[in-house]
């Protein structure tokens, strides 16, 4: 009898063993997050400053709505990058939530990972939790599993916990391989980090239109 693989239970080792997935550090493999990044307009920079201020206002409160962080930070980024306009569309039928748990010094934390797919090309995984202990890399095994399961020979992903951001690329031929970007953070002295995230998303937009 065939067994069912639960995405929430997967580790990177599981993916390496079951799917023969390999991580590559070849510099030329994932240049889309580094090369030919489009410049930002003054209005876009002003919006990013506003996003940072709105986020700072949210986190100043002890009780922060999880959905509020997603709305205030992630939705404006996807909007400014052009992913809410034709030909891109949100594949809501694949939207799901994965429960995640962690324990630290006797304290039990709970959260979830929301999964969205944009135009069958960009996977967006959002970690939602009131605890910053859930590192953005926690979403990586699930992200790679969805990318492997999709129809595209080349797929990209955008992961965030609302504060930190990580990008990934996966190719399936001749063997499944992936690479990740460096981690970007919203908690920085300026909007430069958030600006880089937006530039990368806009670059992805250009790449997808050319495919």
């Amino acid at each position: 009898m065939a067994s069912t693989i639960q995405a929430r239970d997967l580790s990177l080792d599981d993916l390496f063993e079951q799917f023969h997935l390999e991580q590559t550090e070849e510099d030329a493999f994932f240049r889309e997050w580094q090369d030919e990044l489009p410049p930002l307009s003054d209005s876009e920079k002003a919006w990013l400053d506003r996003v940072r201020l709105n986020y700072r206002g949210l986190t100043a409160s002890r009780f922060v709505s999880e959905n509020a962080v997603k709305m205030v930070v992630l939705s404006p980024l996807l909007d400014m990058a052009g992913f809410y306009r034709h030909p891109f569309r949100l594949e809501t039928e694949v939207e799901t939530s994965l429960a995640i748990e962690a324990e630290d010094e006797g304290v039990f934390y709970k959260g979830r990972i929301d999964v969205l797919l944009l135009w069958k090309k960009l996977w967006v995984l959002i970690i939602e939790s009131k605890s910053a202990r859930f590192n953005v890399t926690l979403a990586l095994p699930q992200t790679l599993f969805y990318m492997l399961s999709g129809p595209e020979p080349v797929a990209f992903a955008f992961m965030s916990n609302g504060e930190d951001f990580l990008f990934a690329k996966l190719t399936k031929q001749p063997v499944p391989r992936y690479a990740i970007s460096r981690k970007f953070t919203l908690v920085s002295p300026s909007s430069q980090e958030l600006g880089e995230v937006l530039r990368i998303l806009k670059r992805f937009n250009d790449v997808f239109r050319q495919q």
Side-chain angles (χ1 to χ4, degrees):
M1 183 175 179
S3 60
T4 300
I5 300 175
Q6 298 293 332
R8 65 176 179 270
D9 297 328
L10 286 172
S11 67
L12 286 177
D13 284 339
D14 292 329
L15 296 176
F16 296 153
E17 179 178 350
Q18 298 181 32
F19 294 92
H20 306 291
L21 179 65
E22 300 176 358
Q23 182 177 10
T24 177
E25 296 183 358
E26 293 180 11
D27 188 60
F29 180 83
F30 189 15
R31 299 299 307 176
E32 290 86 353
W33 73 274
Q34 301 174 73
D35 296 342
E36 301 180 38
L37 301 183
L40 300 180
S41 65
D42 290 339
S43 61
E44 288 172 328
K45 293 176 182 178
W47 264 108
L48 291 177
D49 285 336
R50 186 168 181 170
V51 168
R52 288 181 64 252
L53 290 175
N54 289 340
Y55 176 78
R56 185 182 302 171
L58 281 178
T59 55
S61 172
R62 181 178 178 181
F63 300 102
V64 180
S65 167
E66 298 171 350
N67 284 331
V69 173
K70 180 168 62 177
M71 291 171 60
V72 168
V73 178
L74 297 175
S75 184
L77 284 174
L78 294 174
D79 185 12
M80 285 188 284
F83 284 114
Y84 291 157
R85 298 189 294 273
H86 180 80
F88 302 101
R89 63 183 181 273
L90 182 65
E91 298 286 347
T92 55
E93 65 269 18
V94 301
E95 184 172 358
T96 185
S97 291
L98 303 174
I100 51 176
E101 299 175 346
E103 185 177 359
D104 183 63
E105 296 181 354
V107 180
F108 199 63
Y109 299 95
K110 290 186 177 181
R112 67 176 182 267
I113 301 176
D114 283 351
V115 185
L116 307 172
L117 176 60
L118 290 168
W119 204 39
K120 302 186 185 302
K121 295 180 182 290
L122 177 64
W123 289 93
V124 179
L125 276 81
I126 305 161
I127 299 175
E128 293 189 350
S129 173
K130 293 182 175 65
S131 171
R133 296 180 186 275
F134 287 115
N135 192 292
V136 66
T137 57
L138 184 65
L140 185 57
Q142 290 90 345
T143 302
L144 295 172
F145 173 76
Y146 287 118
M147 296 166 81
L148 283 165
S149 303
E152 297 295 325
V154 180
F156 294 83
F158 174 46
M159 293 158 277
S160 177
N161 59 8
E163 183 173 288
D164 299 323
F165 310 90
L166 188 69
F167 297 91
K169 177 182 179 179
L170 181 142
T171 63
K172 296 182 179 179
Q173 297 296 333
V175 296
R177 298 196 303 165
Y178 80 96
I180 59 176
S181 69
R182 74 170 178 87
K183 185 168 69 176
F184 298 86
T185 182
L186 186 58
V187 184
S188 61
S190 70
S191 61
Q192 182 177 357
E193 291 274 293
L194 196 58
E196 288 299 295
V197 171
L198 177 56
R199 294 177 69 200
I200 295 169
L201 288 172
K202 289 167 71 73
R203 171 62 174 147
F204 283 5
N205 187 316
D206 292 338
V207 171
F208 298 156
R209 289 177 181 273
Q210 296 168 10
Q211 291 178 348

